[in-house]
Amino acid sequence: MRVLTAGESHGPELTAIIEGLPAQLPLTAEMITKELTRRQGGHGRGRRMQIEKDQVVISSGVRHGKTLGSPITLTVVNDDWKHWTSIMGIEPLSDDIRPEDIKRQITRPRPGHADLVGGIKFGHRDLRNVLERSSARETTMRVAAGAVAKQFLRELGINTVAHVVEIGGIVANSTTTSDLTIEELRTRVEADPVYCADPEVSSDMVAAIDDAKGRGDTLGGVVEVVIEGCPPGMGSYAQFDRKLDGRLAAAMMSINAFKGVEFGIGFEMAKKFGSDVHDEIAWSKEQGYYRKSNRLGGLEGGMSTGMPIIIRGVMKPIPTLYKPLESVDIDTKEPFTATIERSDPCAVPAASVVAEHVIATEIAKVIIEEFRSFEMNGLKADLEEYRLYAKEF
């Protein structure tokens, strides 16, 4: 299974192509658009999300509500494109327009963004050519593709949820969610303004976001993704690039502005003895093999254990500031404050949605690699047979 995305932030539309998904998977545009709406929500979003009303169009790979096994094409129109047609037009400039006369050119790179290094790499003197693609608007299609992956996983009894566990140093109490089922956790998260499962601190997070906005500043945070129902043995110890935790970490780190990742109790392991870290193994007739704890986050030796997979990602504060930092104009080499673009004071809630979907995509890829995957019924049969084998091993 492969996923490709294309499109610029203020271009005509965004596109994703998914190749390798089995036939006979129930799929509708409504399933995908629902997840896109969640991505646009969360307290701290900026004006761009008031302009766009993301709705997906499926233009290939699905017939009468079921996948065909051929590549699936997903498209989302940028409503803001109508205001950018002359700036972001596809056709060559007419003879009476010089490149330097185009509006909204950028020569002052923003610290912490791809502007300067991207301009150097691809030779763009107008740094808009960089930021239009490096923008987090691209994650629209990561979520769209991930929504398809989530539907695929649900059909196999694998469920995912994500929630915000920290914003600007305000940390949710993990004990408030420890006894919740994945459905209960999802219900609580989707009703919360910052997608946090701890209502005690959610209001403090909202206040912190509002304070940062008033200062012209931004806030980062930490999001957690939980995958329940993944069978044991997904991934491999046999080769480094097939280790599941490595693949999931790469997926999480591929999200814009993410700078750290951990599994289970994560970096807390560095402070503990081994006897307080590793999860003891048990077996029962009802469950088969299981762990008495889940401090390793459902992963051992580069493979899933069958316990819930727990992965957290750290998102830095967005680098586009209304109180911009110092930079240098690439044309004059003079010091200036960086360019200001429309931005969010805090995109951590939205990032939790993106994180859930990129992780779901990677889990779907692994499942498709491991089992017969031309059509859903055969895949389901193979997976159930494997689950029984693992339980009785």
Side-chain angles (χ1 to χ4, degrees), residues 95-338:
D95 293 339
D96 58 337
I97 299 178
R98 299 177 300 172
E100 57 267 29
D101 292 333
I102 299 174
K103 296 179 180 179
R104 304 294 294 269
Q105 291 197 64
I106 293 175
T107 58
R108 301 173 186 177
R110 294 164 293 174
H113 215 286
D115 301 351
L116 179 58
V117 180
I120 292 170
K121 180 177 180 67
F122 289 99
H124 293 309
R125 300 303 303 179
D126 178 2
L127 300 181
R128 178 161 298 286
N129 291 332
V130 177
L131 71 87
E132 284 290 330
R133 179 57 184 169
S134 65
S135 163
R137 181 72 179 142
E138 184 267 349
T139 63
T140 304
M141 303 319 293
R142 304 283 298 280
V143 171
V148 177
K150 278 181 61 177
Q151 168 62 5
F152 167 74
L153 295 176
R154 273 194 299 267
E155 289 285 310
L156 302 176
I158 303 170
N159 293 292
T160 66
V161 69
H163 58 117
V164 172
V165 297
E166 182 176 347
I167 288 179
I170 301 168
V171 183
N173 185 348
S174 60
T175 61
T176 63
T177 62
S178 58
D179 295 328
L180 296 179
T181 67
I182 202 163
E183 288 301 328
E184 290 170 338
L185 180 57
R186 182 182 294 109
T187 298
R188 186 180 289 188
V189 167
E190 290 185 355
D192 188 83
V194 289
Y195 301 161
C196 177
D198 182 358
E200 297 273 331
V201 303
S202 175
S203 58
D204 293 336
M205 291 177 175
V206 169
I209 292 169
D210 291 342
D211 178 67
K213 182 178 180 180
R215 297 168 182 264
D217 220 323
T218 57
L219 289 175
V222 179
V223 305
E224 180 178 278
V225 181
V226 181
I227 304 100
E228 194 174 77
C230 185
M234 300 302 98
S236 179
Y237 66 87
Q239 197 58 261
F240 66 91
D241 60 347
R242 295 188 63 202
K243 292 186 177 184
L244 182 56
D245 41 6
R247 293 176 61 168
L248 294 178
M252 185 73 87
M253 291 297 291
S254 73
I255 304 170
N256 304 52
F258 273 57
K259 287 296 181 183
V261 63
E262 64 179 9
F263 297 89
I265 63 172
F267 291 101
E268 287 298 311
M269 295 181 200
K271 306 172 186 177
K272 297 180 180 293
F273 291 109
S275 56
D276 295 325
V277 169
H278 300 289
D279 303 309
E280 292 184 319
I281 300 171
W283 185 89
S284 72
K285 188 174 182 180
E286 295 75 24
Q287 290 179 264
Y289 295 98
Y290 65 94
R291 305 302 187 274
K292 293 183 179 180
S293 58
N294 195 25
R295 291 184 286 262
L296 295 183
L299 294 154
E300 292 176 353
M303 297 169 291
S304 57
T305 65
M307 297 290 285
I309 296 173
I310 300 172
I311 176 172
R312 281 181 291 277
V314 178
M315 184 186 192
K316 69 178 181 179
I318 289 175
T320 299
L321 306 174
Y322 286 98
K323 186 176 67 179
L325 300 174
E326 287 191 4
S327 183
V328 173
D329 190 299
I330 65 170
D331 285 346
T332 67
K333 306 300 188 288
E334 295 293 324
F336 285 97
T337 55

Side-chain angles (χ1 to χ4, degrees), residues 36-46 49 164 167 189-196 206 209-210 344-353:
L36 294 178
T37 301
R38 289 183 57 228
R39 175 193 166 275
Q40 292 190 282
H43 190 76
R45 296 294 258 153
M49 293 303 100
V164 172
I167 288 179
V189 167
E190 290 185 355
D192 188 83
V194 289
Y195 301 161
C196 177
V206 169
I209 292 169
D210 291 342
D344 307 332
C346 180
V348 176
S352 71
V353 178

